[in-house]
Amino acid sequence: MFASCADPKTLEGLAWLMCYLSSGKHVLFYLSFGTVILLLLITAPVALLFGFGGALAARSRIAPLRWFGKVYTSMVRGVPDIIFFLFVPIALDQGFEWLRAKVFCDPSIPIRQGNEFLVCAAAKLPLSTSPAWVHQLYGIALAVIAFSIVFGAFAANVLRGAMDAVPRAQLETAEAYGMSPRQVSRRILIPQMWTYALPGLGNLWMILVKATPLLFILGVEDIVYWARELGGSKTSAYAYPHPDWRIYYFLAILVFYLLMTWGSERIFDRIRSRLSRGQATAAGEAMRKAAT
């Protein structure tokens, strides 16, 4: 906050508004946009890794591994996303605390007491003495895992379909040249599949972007949390010196997501054009015709 904002009662009009928008809580609101972007940048590659593993498992010749891949994709896709977003963080949190309780807590005191899950203070994650940013980072880490499991299942389905779309003749030609199944996958199948997978992965990225407001449900102080907190004229903890301004805060969030979507479309178009260059696909054929 600026030095001129030390006494807000002496300010009026635009000067008061500028001081209000530069307050400490508004700085946290602005930083929460970075939290969303950080979540996307971490979750997208992790979910893609989950999806790649699930797709390979579903195509595996080893029956248990193939069953696991199919069950993973079918189960996650068949359950509402919000159930996993609520279940996974709670399950992981209790699992971590249960392991820590075995080390730091008195073994004579049961962890399960009826319907309650209780551990000693030393086994809590994060510790009650930890600073606020540790609690936020821990919540974001659990959110990344939950998002990655859910969107990894969708990515597995997209990648599996892309692998099946690679012309069989190319794989058979590679086998005829003496390549092993592993070499065929590494040199032919995986490089070729990205052209077919990119449209589905692009749509999945857009869905992931639109799903980030669910961070609010997981207790992370994201842009939705701060928009509700700062936009209301009164909350459970504070009374703000303005009427209900939530429409303006949510309008800022709307613009943010529109810009994210617009920018993502431009990036995916460039990637699609680069991958399609020289490929025996409809997109590659269109590029060759345009060039001639």
Side-chain angles (χ1 to χ4, degrees), residues 8 24 30 33 46 95 113 134 150 156 158 167 189 195 254 266 281 292:
Y30 307 141
F33 287 88
V46 176
Q113 301 179 18
V134 174
V150 172
V158 171
L189 180 63
T195 301
L254 172 65
R266 304 285 81 74
T281 61
T292 56

Side-chain angles (χ1 to χ4, degrees), residues 24 87 115 142 147 185 195 209:
F87 170 77
N115 293 327
L142 294 180
F147 274 75
S185 296
T195 301
V209 170

Side-chain angles (χ1 to χ4, degrees), residues 276-292:
S276 298
R277 188 175 296 120
Q279 296 292 329
T281 61
E285 185 64 24
M287 289 186 64
R288 283 192 292 274
K289 289 182 179 179
T292 56

Side-chain angles (χ1 to χ4, degrees), residues 32-40 43 85-86 136 139-144 146-147 208-225 257:
S32 66
F33 287 88
T35 300
V36 172
I37 296 175
L38 178 65
L39 174 78
L40 291 171
T43 301
F85 292 146
L86 294 176
Q136 283 290 306
I140 292 174
L142 294 180
V144 166
F147 274 75
L208 175 60
V209 170
K210 293 192 295 183
T212 51
L214 291 174
L215 283 171
F216 173 68
I217 298 176
L218 302 179
V220 178
E221 295 180 355
D222 67 331
I223 52 180
V224 176
Y225 169 84
Y257 278 109

Side-chain angles (χ1 to χ4, degrees), residues 42-54 148 151-152 155-156 159 193-194 197 201 204:
I42 297 176
T43 301
V46 176
L48 189 60
L49 186 63
F50 274 56
F52 190 71
S148 299
F151 287 94
L159 294 176
M193 76 173 186
W194 295 110
L201 293 178
L204 192 59

Side-chain angles (χ1 to χ4, degrees), residues 144-168:
V144 166
I145 297 175
F147 274 75
S148 299
I149 291 175
V150 172
F151 287 94
F154 290 99
N157 193 57
V158 171
L159 294 176
R160 183 186 175 191
M163 292 178 183
D164 293 338
V166 175
R168 180 62 189 168

Side-chain angles (χ1 to χ4, degrees), residues 34-281:
T35 300
V36 172
I37 296 175
L38 178 65
L39 174 78
L40 291 171
L41 294 178
I42 297 176
T43 301
V46 176
L48 189 60
L49 186 63
F50 274 56
F52 190 71
L56 291 179
R59 290 171 52 90
S60 175
R61 297 178 180 178
I62 304 174
L65 195 60
R66 184 171 63 251
W67 296 337
F68 171 79
K70 291 182 178 180
V71 168
Y72 166 60
T73 56
S74 300
M75 180 181 66
V76 176
R77 289 171 58 218
V79 176
D81 296 348
I82 194 172
I83 301 299
F84 276 97
F85 292 146
L86 294 176
F87 170 77
V88 172
I90 294 174
L92 288 175
D93 185 52
Q94 291 190 358
F96 294 151
E97 290 186 352
W98 182 82
L99 292 175
R100 288 174 58 85
K102 295 297 183 181
V103 178
F104 298 109
C105 299
D106 185 354
S108 63
I109 301 177
I111 298 175
R112 285 288 181 185
Q113 301 179 18
N115 293 327
E116 298 292 332
F117 181 88
L118 301 174
V119 296
C120 62
K124 284 287 186 181
L125 277 177
L127 297 174
S128 58
T129 55
S130 300
W133 68 267
V134 174
H135 290 262
Q136 283 290 306
L137 188 61
Y138 181 70
I140 292 174
L142 294 180
V144 166
I145 297 175
F147 274 75
S148 299
I149 291 175
V150 172
F151 287 94
F154 290 99
N157 193 57
V158 171
L159 294 176
R160 183 186 175 191
M163 292 178 183
D164 293 338
V166 175
R168 180 62 189 168
Q170 296 187 24
L171 306 181
E172 292 175 346
T173 302
E175 292 172 356
Y177 272 94
M179 290 187 183
S180 65
R182 182 173 297 181
Q183 289 176 323
V184 172
S185 296
R186 187 176 69 253
R187 298 181 180 180
I188 307 298
L189 180 63
I190 294 176
Q192 291 284 345
M193 76 173 186
W194 295 110
T195 301
Y196 302 96
L198 193 60
L201 293 178
N203 290 334
L204 192 59
W205 166 262
M206 296 300 183
I207 296 173
L208 175 60
V209 170
K210 293 192 295 183
T212 51
L214 291 174
L215 283 171
F216 173 68
I217 298 176
L218 302 179
V220 178
E221 295 180 355
D222 67 331
I223 52 180
V224 176
Y225 169 84
W226 286 113
R228 288 166 55 92
E229 181 73 16
L230 296 172
S233 59
K234 186 176 182 181
T235 66
S236 58
Y238 301 99
Y240 292 105
H242 60 69
D244 192 334
W245 284 358
R246 283 177 295 180
I247 185 173
Y248 304 109
Y249 285 90
F250 281 106
L251 182 61
I253 295 176
L254 172 65
V255 173
F256 169 73
Y257 278 109
L258 287 175
L259 290 175
M260 284 284 294
T261 302
W262 179 83
S264 299
E265 289 178 347
R266 304 285 81 74
I267 293 173
F268 274 103
D269 285 342
R270 287 181 176 272
I271 297 175
R272 188 178 300 111
S273 298
R274 187 175 184 84
L275 288 179
S276 298
R277 188 175 296 120
Q279 296 292 329
T281 61

